[in-house]
mmCIF file of all heavy atoms in Angstrom:
data_model
loop_
_atom_site.group_PDB
_atom_site.id
_atom_site.type_symbol
_atom_site.label_atom_id
_atom_site.label_comp_id
_atom_site.label_asym_id
_atom_site.label_seq_id
_atom_site.Cartn_x
_atom_site.Cartn_y
_atom_site.Cartn_z
ATOM 1 N N ASP O 531 -3.646 -3.896 -2.585
ATOM 2 C CA ASP O 531 -3.516 -4.366 -3.955
ATOM 3 C C ASP O 531 -4.659 -3.740 -4.762
ATOM 4 O O ASP O 531 -5.612 -3.194 -4.185
ATOM 5 C CB ASP O 531 -3.614 -5.889 -4.036
ATOM 6 C CG ASP O 531 -2.423 -6.585 -3.406
ATOM 7 O OD1 ASP O 531 -1.571 -5.902 -2.798
ATOM 8 O OD2 ASP O 531 -2.347 -7.811 -3.519
ATOM 9 N N ARG O 532 -4.575 -3.862 -6.066
ATOM 10 C CA ARG O 532 -5.670 -3.393 -6.910
ATOM 11 C C ARG O 532 -5.818 -4.293 -8.131
ATOM 12 O O ARG O 532 -4.870 -4.948 -8.545
ATOM 13 C CB ARG O 532 -5.462 -1.943 -7.337
ATOM 14 C CG ARG O 532 -4.284 -1.730 -8.294
ATOM 15 C CD ARG O 532 -4.072 -0.251 -8.551
ATOM 16 N NE ARG O 532 -2.924 -0.001 -9.439
ATOM 17 C CZ ARG O 532 -2.452 1.191 -9.713
ATOM 18 N NH1 ARG O 532 -3.015 2.289 -9.199
ATOM 19 N NH2 ARG O 532 -1.407 1.322 -10.524
ATOM 20 N N GLN O 533 -7.020 -4.278 -8.667
ATOM 21 C CA GLN O 533 -7.285 -5.049 -9.872
ATOM 22 C C GLN O 533 -8.125 -4.215 -10.814
ATOM 23 O O GLN O 533 -9.272 -3.842 -10.494
ATOM 24 C CB GLN O 533 -7.994 -6.365 -9.552
ATOM 25 C CG GLN O 533 -8.138 -7.275 -10.753
ATOM 26 C CD GLN O 533 -8.506 -8.687 -10.377
ATOM 27 O OE1 GLN O 533 -8.993 -8.965 -9.287
ATOM 28 N NE2 GLN O 533 -8.259 -9.619 -11.278
ATOM 29 N N ALA O 534 -7.539 -3.915 -11.964
ATOM 30 C CA ALA O 534 -8.242 -3.158 -13.001
ATOM 31 C C ALA O 534 -8.980 -4.134 -13.911
ATOM 32 O O ALA O 534 -8.615 -5.314 -13.994
ATOM 33 C CB ALA O 534 -7.249 -2.327 -13.805
ATOM 34 N N PRO O 535 -10.009 -3.664 -14.608
ATOM 35 C CA PRO O 535 -10.769 -4.553 -15.501
ATOM 36 C C PRO O 535 -9.855 -5.222 -16.525
ATOM 37 O O PRO O 535 -9.056 -4.566 -17.189
ATOM 38 C CB PRO O 535 -11.753 -3.594 -16.174
ATOM 39 C CG PRO O 535 -11.910 -2.472 -15.214
ATOM 40 C CD PRO O 535 -10.577 -2.311 -14.559
ATOM 41 N N GLY O 536 -9.967 -6.531 -16.622
ATOM 42 C CA GLY O 536 -9.193 -7.275 -17.603
ATOM 43 C C GLY O 536 -7.738 -7.483 -17.259
ATOM 44 O O GLY O 536 -6.975 -7.995 -18.070
ATOM 45 N N LYS O 537 -7.347 -7.074 -16.054
ATOM 46 C CA LYS O 537 -5.950 -7.218 -15.645
ATOM 47 C C LYS O 537 -5.842 -8.047 -14.379
ATOM 48 O O LYS O 537 -6.822 -8.233 -13.659
ATOM 49 C CB LYS O 537 -5.321 -5.843 -15.419
ATOM 50 C CG LYS O 537 -5.218 -4.991 -16.674
ATOM 51 C CD LYS O 537 -4.441 -3.716 -16.417
ATOM 52 C CE LYS O 537 -4.273 -2.904 -17.693
ATOM 53 N NZ LYS O 537 -3.481 -1.667 -17.451
ATOM 54 N N GLU O 538 -4.632 -8.518 -14.122
ATOM 55 C CA GLU O 538 -4.394 -9.282 -12.905
ATOM 56 C C GLU O 538 -4.280 -8.338 -11.711
ATOM 57 O O GLU O 538 -3.926 -7.174 -11.838
ATOM 58 C CB GLU O 538 -3.111 -10.109 -13.050
ATOM 59 C CG GLU O 538 -3.201 -11.199 -14.101
ATOM 60 C CD GLU O 538 -1.972 -12.084 -14.113
ATOM 61 O OE1 GLU O 538 -1.011 -11.792 -13.386
ATOM 62 O OE2 GLU O 538 -1.991 -13.075 -14.865
ATOM 63 N N ARG O 539 -4.565 -8.881 -10.547
ATOM 64 C CA ARG O 539 -4.402 -8.113 -9.322
ATOM 65 C C ARG O 539 -2.920 -7.807 -9.123
ATOM 66 O O ARG O 539 -2.076 -8.669 -9.336
ATOM 67 C CB ARG O 539 -4.957 -8.893 -8.133
ATOM 68 C CG ARG O 539 -5.085 -8.081 -6.856
ATOM 69 C CD ARG O 539 -5.824 -8.853 -5.782
ATOM 70 N NE ARG O 539 -7.194 -9.171 -6.169
ATOM 71 C CZ ARG O 539 -8.106 -9.647 -5.322
ATOM 72 N NH1 ARG O 539 -7.771 -9.858 -4.056
ATOM 73 N NH2 ARG O 539 -9.322 -9.926 -5.730
ATOM 74 N N GLU O 540 -2.624 -6.567 -8.706
ATOM 75 C CA GLU O 540 -1.238 -6.179 -8.497
ATOM 76 C C GLU O 540 -1.051 -5.515 -7.146
ATOM 77 O O GLU O 540 -1.949 -4.864 -6.617
ATOM 78 C CB GLU O 540 -0.767 -5.208 -9.603
ATOM 79 C CG GLU O 540 -1.433 -3.849 -9.584
ATOM 80 C CD GLU O 540 -0.770 -2.833 -10.488
ATOM 81 O OE1 GLU O 540 0.347 -3.081 -11.000
ATOM 82 O OE2 GLU O 540 -1.371 -1.756 -10.684
ATOM 83 N N PHE O 541 0.148 -5.686 -6.607
ATOM 84 C CA PHE O 541 0.532 -5.015 -5.369
ATOM 85 C C PHE O 541 0.635 -3.511 -5.619
ATOM 86 O O PHE O 541 1.173 -3.081 -6.637
ATOM 87 C CB PHE O 541 1.874 -5.570 -4.896
ATOM 88 C CG PHE O 541 2.512 -4.799 -3.787
ATOM 89 C CD1 PHE O 541 2.153 -5.049 -2.467
ATOM 90 C CD2 PHE O 541 3.459 -3.826 -4.045
ATOM 91 C CE1 PHE O 541 2.744 -4.340 -1.438
ATOM 92 C CE2 PHE O 541 4.051 -3.121 -3.019
ATOM 93 C CZ PHE O 541 3.688 -3.383 -1.709
ATOM 94 N N VAL O 542 0.139 -2.724 -4.666
ATOM 95 C CA VAL O 542 0.224 -1.268 -4.768
ATOM 96 C C VAL O 542 1.146 -0.691 -3.701
ATOM 97 O O VAL O 542 2.061 0.063 -3.999
ATOM 98 C CB VAL O 542 -1.165 -0.625 -4.648
ATOM 99 C CG1 VAL O 542 -1.061 0.909 -4.631
ATOM 100 C CG2 VAL O 542 -2.074 -1.084 -5.773
ATOM 101 N N ALA O 543 0.887 -1.052 -2.443
ATOM 102 C CA ALA O 543 1.667 -0.479 -1.349
ATOM 103 C C ALA O 543 1.591 -1.390 -0.136
ATOM 104 O O ALA O 543 0.591 -2.077 0.061
ATOM 105 C CB ALA O 543 1.149 0.909 -0.984
ATOM 106 N N GLY O 544 2.646 -1.375 0.676
ATOM 107 C CA GLY O 544 2.670 -2.169 1.887
ATOM 108 C C GLY O 544 3.322 -1.407 3.021
ATOM 109 O O GLY O 544 4.161 -0.539 2.784
ATOM 110 N N VAL O 545 2.920 -1.734 4.244
ATOM 111 C CA VAL O 545 3.518 -1.124 5.428
ATOM 112 C C VAL O 545 3.842 -2.235 6.418
ATOM 113 O O VAL O 545 3.063 -3.171 6.613
ATOM 114 C CB VAL O 545 2.578 -0.058 6.048
ATOM 115 C CG1 VAL O 545 1.257 -0.659 6.495
ATOM 116 C CG2 VAL O 545 3.257 0.679 7.188
ATOM 117 N N SER O 546 5.021 -2.124 7.050
ATOM 118 C CA SER O 546 5.453 -3.141 7.997
ATOM 119 C C SER O 546 4.623 -3.063 9.273
ATOM 120 O O SER O 546 3.874 -2.109 9.495
ATOM 121 C CB SER O 546 6.936 -2.942 8.321
ATOM 122 O OG SER O 546 7.131 -1.700 8.986
ATOM 123 N N SER O 547 4.770 -4.059 10.125
ATOM 124 C CA SER O 547 4.032 -4.094 11.386
ATOM 125 C C SER O 547 4.391 -2.904 12.268
ATOM 126 O O SER O 547 3.548 -2.392 13.007
ATOM 127 C CB SER O 547 4.296 -5.396 12.127
ATOM 128 O OG SER O 547 5.680 -5.547 12.401
ATOM 129 N N THR O 548 5.627 -2.436 12.179
ATOM 130 C CA THR O 548 6.048 -1.303 13.000
ATOM 131 C C THR O 548 5.647 0.029 12.389
ATOM 132 O O THR O 548 5.693 1.054 13.062
ATOM 133 C CB THR O 548 7.573 -1.297 13.172
ATOM 134 O OG1 THR O 548 8.173 -1.125 11.890
ATOM 135 C CG2 THR O 548 8.059 -2.594 13.807
ATOM 136 N N GLY O 549 5.299 0.009 11.111
ATOM 137 C CA GLY O 549 4.984 1.257 10.418
ATOM 138 C C GLY O 549 6.193 1.991 9.897
ATOM 139 O O GLY O 549 6.069 3.026 9.245
ATOM 140 N N ARG O 550 7.381 1.458 10.163
ATOM 141 C CA ARG O 550 8.606 2.169 9.782
ATOM 142 C C ARG O 550 8.999 1.927 8.330
ATOM 143 O O ARG O 550 9.737 2.716 7.752
ATOM 144 C CB ARG O 550 9.757 1.753 10.686
ATOM 145 C CG ARG O 550 9.570 2.112 12.146
ATOM 146 C CD ARG O 550 10.861 1.919 12.928
ATOM 147 N NE ARG O 550 10.643 2.071 14.367
ATOM 148 C CZ ARG O 550 10.556 1.057 15.207
ATOM 149 N NH1 ARG O 550 10.692 -0.170 14.777
ATOM 150 N NH2 ARG O 550 10.349 1.274 16.488
ATOM 151 N N GLU O 551 8.518 0.835 7.755
ATOM 152 C CA GLU O 551 8.891 0.501 6.379
ATOM 153 C C GLU O 551 7.672 0.535 5.469
ATOM 154 O O GLU O 551 6.634 -0.056 5.796
ATOM 155 C CB GLU O 551 9.552 -0.877 6.336
ATOM 156 C CG GLU O 551 10.848 -0.961 7.118
ATOM 157 C CD GLU O 551 11.460 -2.346 7.077
ATOM 158 O OE1 GLU O 551 10.958 -3.187 6.314
ATOM 159 O OE2 GLU O 551 12.434 -2.584 7.804
ATOM 160 N N GLU O 552 7.817 1.225 4.368
ATOM 161 C CA GLU O 552 6.760 1.316 3.373
ATOM 162 C C GLU O 552 7.335 0.911 2.020
ATOM 163 O O GLU O 552 8.488 1.231 1.716
ATOM 164 C CB GLU O 552 6.223 2.752 3.279
ATOM 165 C CG GLU O 552 5.676 3.307 4.574
ATOM 166 C CD GLU O 552 5.429 4.801 4.518
ATOM 167 O OE1 GLU O 552 5.363 5.360 3.405
ATOM 168 O OE2 GLU O 552 5.298 5.424 5.589
ATOM 169 N N THR O 553 6.561 0.225 1.233
ATOM 170 C CA THR O 553 6.968 -0.129 -0.116
ATOM 171 C C THR O 553 5.834 0.218 -1.080
ATOM 172 O O THR O 553 4.655 0.161 -0.706
ATOM 173 C CB THR O 553 7.311 -1.626 -0.244
ATOM 174 O OG1 THR O 553 6.186 -2.395 0.200
ATOM 175 C CG2 THR O 553 8.517 -1.987 0.606
ATOM 176 N N TYR O 554 6.223 0.569 -2.301
ATOM 177 C CA TYR O 554 5.260 0.988 -3.313
ATOM 178 C C TYR O 554 5.630 0.423 -4.673
ATOM 179 O O TYR O 554 6.817 0.276 -5.000
ATOM 180 C CB TYR O 554 5.221 2.517 -3.420
ATOM 181 C CG TYR O 554 4.844 3.220 -2.144
ATOM 182 C CD1 TYR O 554 5.807 3.631 -1.244
ATOM 183 C CD2 TYR O 554 3.503 3.447 -1.839
ATOM 184 C CE1 TYR O 554 5.457 4.264 -0.052
ATOM 185 C CE2 TYR O 554 3.143 4.084 -0.658
ATOM 186 C CZ TYR O 554 4.123 4.484 0.220
ATOM 187 O OH TYR O 554 3.758 5.102 1.396
ATOM 188 N N VAL O 555 4.614 0.149 -5.456
ATOM 189 C CA VAL O 555 4.876 -0.162 -6.857
ATOM 190 C C VAL O 555 5.328 1.138 -7.527
ATOM 191 O O VAL O 555 4.899 2.237 -7.139
ATOM 192 C CB VAL O 555 3.613 -0.760 -7.523
ATOM 193 C CG1 VAL O 555 2.500 0.268 -7.627
ATOM 194 C CG2 VAL O 555 3.956 -1.327 -8.884
ATOM 195 N N ASP O 556 6.194 1.022 -8.519
ATOM 196 C CA ASP O 556 6.787 2.216 -9.135
ATOM 197 C C ASP O 556 5.733 3.189 -9.667
ATOM 198 O O ASP O 556 5.911 4.414 -9.589
ATOM 199 C CB ASP O 556 7.721 1.809 -10.273
ATOM 200 C CG ASP O 556 9.018 1.202 -9.771
ATOM 201 O OD1 ASP O 556 9.310 1.330 -8.569
ATOM 202 O OD2 ASP O 556 9.733 0.601 -10.590
ATOM 203 N N SER O 557 4.643 2.658 -10.174
ATOM 204 C CA SER O 557 3.652 3.515 -10.837
ATOM 205 C C SER O 557 2.924 4.457 -9.870
ATOM 206 O O SER O 557 2.299 5.420 -10.316
ATOM 207 C CB SER O 557 2.635 2.656 -11.582
ATOM 208 O OG SER O 557 1.962 1.785 -10.696
ATOM 209 N N VAL O 558 2.988 4.185 -8.572
ATOM 210 C CA VAL O 558 2.309 5.063 -7.605
ATOM 211 C C VAL O 558 3.279 5.772 -6.668
ATOM 212 O O VAL O 558 2.864 6.639 -5.886
ATOM 213 C CB VAL O 558 1.268 4.297 -6.760
ATOM 214 C CG1 VAL O 558 0.324 3.492 -7.641
ATOM 215 C CG2 VAL O 558 1.925 3.407 -5.718
ATOM 216 N N SER O 559 4.550 5.423 -6.741
ATOM 217 C CA SER O 559 5.536 6.022 -5.847
ATOM 218 C C SER O 559 5.556 7.539 -6.029
ATOM 219 O O SER O 559 5.589 8.047 -7.154
ATOM 220 C CB SER O 559 6.917 5.435 -6.147
ATOM 221 O OG SER O 559 7.872 5.928 -5.250
ATOM 222 N N GLY O 560 5.504 8.246 -4.904
ATOM 223 C CA GLY O 560 5.476 9.701 -4.941
ATOM 224 C C GLY O 560 4.077 10.284 -5.010
ATOM 225 O O GLY O 560 3.895 11.487 -4.786
ATOM 226 N N ARG O 561 3.084 9.453 -5.291
ATOM 227 C CA ARG O 561 1.690 9.931 -5.364
ATOM 228 C C ARG O 561 0.831 9.326 -4.259
ATOM 229 O O ARG O 561 -0.093 9.961 -3.769
ATOM 230 C CB ARG O 561 1.079 9.579 -6.720
ATOM 231 C CG ARG O 561 1.786 10.201 -7.907
ATOM 232 C CD ARG O 561 1.016 9.961 -9.205
ATOM 233 N NE ARG O 561 0.900 8.549 -9.546
ATOM 234 C CZ ARG O 561 -0.255 7.901 -9.705
ATOM 235 N NH1 ARG O 561 -1.405 8.542 -9.563
ATOM 236 N NH2 ARG O 561 -0.262 6.616 -10.036
ATOM 237 N N PHE O 562 1.108 8.087 -3.892
ATOM 238 C CA PHE O 562 0.332 7.379 -2.868
ATOM 239 C C PHE O 562 1.158 7.260 -1.592
ATOM 240 O O PHE O 562 2.387 7.120 -1.645
ATOM 241 C CB PHE O 562 -0.028 5.973 -3.335
ATOM 242 C CG PHE O 562 -1.032 5.897 -4.459
ATOM 243 C CD1 PHE O 562 -1.427 7.014 -5.170
ATOM 244 C CD2 PHE O 562 -1.594 4.669 -4.794
ATOM 245 C CE1 PHE O 562 -2.348 6.931 -6.201
ATOM 246 C CE2 PHE O 562 -2.526 4.557 -5.823
ATOM 247 C CZ PHE O 562 -2.893 5.690 -6.532
ATOM 248 N N THR O 563 0.461 7.278 -0.457
ATOM 249 C CA THR O 563 1.111 7.074 0.833
ATOM 250 C C THR O 563 0.283 6.111 1.667
ATOM 251 O O THR O 563 -0.917 6.334 1.862
ATOM 252 C CB THR O 563 1.267 8.395 1.601
ATOM 253 O OG1 THR O 563 2.011 9.327 0.809
ATOM 254 C CG2 THR O 563 1.993 8.173 2.919
ATOM 255 N N ILE O 564 0.930 5.061 2.155
ATOM 256 C CA ILE O 564 0.272 4.114 3.047
ATOM 257 C C ILE O 564 0.649 4.452 4.484
ATOM 258 O O ILE O 564 1.792 4.862 4.759
ATOM 259 C CB ILE O 564 0.651 2.656 2.694
ATOM 260 C CG1 ILE O 564 -0.197 1.662 3.474
ATOM 261 C CG2 ILE O 564 2.144 2.405 2.918
ATOM 262 C CD1 ILE O 564 -0.039 0.213 3.003
ATOM 263 N N SER O 565 -0.312 4.305 5.376
ATOM 264 C CA SER O 565 -0.043 4.562 6.791
ATOM 265 C C SER O 565 -0.953 3.680 7.629
ATOM 266 O O SER O 565 -1.913 3.098 7.115
ATOM 267 C CB SER O 565 -0.265 6.044 7.127
ATOM 268 O OG SER O 565 -1.622 6.411 6.905
ATOM 269 N N ARG O 566 -0.642 3.597 8.909
ATOM 270 C CA ARG O 566 -1.451 2.767 9.799
ATOM 271 C C ARG O 566 -1.659 3.468 11.119
ATOM 272 O O ARG O 566 -0.794 4.237 11.580
ATOM 273 C CB ARG O 566 -0.794 1.400 10.008
ATOM 274 C CG ARG O 566 0.565 1.434 10.679
ATOM 275 C CD ARG O 566 1.201 0.044 10.651
ATOM 276 N NE ARG O 566 0.408 -0.930 11.391
ATOM 277 C CZ ARG O 566 0.403 -2.242 11.123
ATOM 278 N NH1 ARG O 566 1.161 -2.719 10.134
ATOM 279 N NH2 ARG O 566 -0.341 -3.057 11.854
ATOM 280 N N ASP O 567 -2.799 3.183 11.734
ATOM 281 C CA ASP O 567 -3.138 3.685 13.059
ATOM 282 C C ASP O 567 -3.482 2.467 13.899
ATOM 283 O O ASP O 567 -4.607 1.940 13.820
ATOM 284 C CB ASP O 567 -4.310 4.661 12.979
ATOM 285 C CG ASP O 567 -4.637 5.298 14.309
ATOM 286 O OD1 ASP O 567 -4.249 4.744 15.364
ATOM 287 O OD2 ASP O 567 -5.296 6.352 14.313
ATOM 288 N N ASP O 568 -2.534 2.016 14.691
ATOM 289 C CA ASP O 568 -2.743 0.789 15.454
ATOM 290 C C ASP O 568 -3.814 0.965 16.530
ATOM 291 O O ASP O 568 -4.459 -0.010 16.924
ATOM 292 C CB ASP O 568 -1.425 0.335 16.081
ATOM 293 C CG ASP O 568 -0.448 -0.211 15.054
ATOM 294 O OD1 ASP O 568 -0.843 -0.402 13.888
ATOM 295 O OD2 ASP O 568 0.733 -0.435 15.414
ATOM 296 N N ALA O 569 -4.017 2.172 16.999
ATOM 297 C CA ALA O 569 -5.060 2.406 18.004
ATOM 298 C C ALA O 569 -6.453 2.181 17.427
ATOM 299 O O ALA O 569 -7.396 1.862 18.158
ATOM 300 C CB ALA O 569 -4.948 3.826 18.549
ATOM 301 N N LYS O 570 -6.558 2.339 16.103
ATOM 302 C CA LYS O 570 -7.854 2.160 15.442
ATOM 303 C C LYS O 570 -7.907 0.891 14.605
ATOM 304 O O LYS O 570 -8.903 0.643 13.922
ATOM 305 C CB LYS O 570 -8.147 3.368 14.540
ATOM 306 C CG LYS O 570 -8.305 4.676 15.300
ATOM 307 C CD LYS O 570 -8.632 5.822 14.359
ATOM 308 C CE LYS O 570 -8.839 7.121 15.122
ATOM 309 N NZ LYS O 570 -9.144 8.258 14.221
ATOM 310 N N ASN O 571 -6.852 0.089 14.638
ATOM 311 C CA ASN O 571 -6.778 -1.130 13.816
ATOM 312 C C ASN O 571 -7.098 -0.824 12.354
ATOM 313 O O ASN O 571 -7.837 -1.572 11.691
ATOM 314 C CB ASN O 571 -7.741 -2.210 14.341
ATOM 315 C CG ASN O 571 -7.224 -2.902 15.581
ATOM 316 O OD1 ASN O 571 -6.257 -2.457 16.199
ATOM 317 N ND2 ASN O 571 -7.870 -3.977 15.965
ATOM 318 N N THR O 572 -6.531 0.248 11.861
ATOM 319 C CA THR O 572 -6.867 0.722 10.528
ATOM 320 C C THR O 572 -5.611 1.065 9.733
ATOM 321 O O THR O 572 -4.653 1.625 10.290
ATOM 322 C CB THR O 572 -7.788 1.959 10.615
ATOM 323 O OG1 THR O 572 -8.998 1.590 11.291
ATOM 324 C CG2 THR O 572 -8.140 2.484 9.234
ATOM 325 N N VAL O 573 -5.644 0.742 8.457
ATOM 326 C CA VAL O 573 -4.587 1.138 7.530
ATOM 327 C C VAL O 573 -5.220 2.017 6.460
ATOM 328 O O VAL O 573 -6.379 1.811 6.090
ATOM 329 C CB VAL O 573 -3.878 -0.087 6.926
ATOM 330 C CG1 VAL O 573 -4.817 -0.942 6.107
ATOM 331 C CG2 VAL O 573 -2.678 0.333 6.084
#
C-alpha cells in the first residue's frame, strides 16, 4: 500500500500465497510488478 501526503492510504499491488495471482491498482498497472521469494521470506 502507499500513502501520499494529505491522502488516504491506498492499495497498490498484491500477490497471492502461491505467487500465481497478482493484482494492481489501475494507476500502476504495467509499470509496477510485485513478486515473492518464499525461500527468503521476502516480497
Side-chain angles (χ1 to χ4, degrees):
D531 291 6
R532 68 186 178 187
Q533 187 165 19
K537 295 187 177 181
E538 294 186 354
R539 191 172 298 191
E540 67 168 349
F541 169 84
V542 175
V545 61
S546 65
S547 59
T548 63
R550 296 191 188 102
E551 297 179 8
E552 302 168 17
T553 55
Y554 301 91
V555 67
D556 287 346
S557 60
V558 309
S559 184
R561 299 188 297 121
F562 291 11
T563 303
I564 189 170
S565 62
R566 63 188 298 153
D567 185 340
D568 288 351
K570 296 182 178 179
N571 284 12
T572 299
V573 63

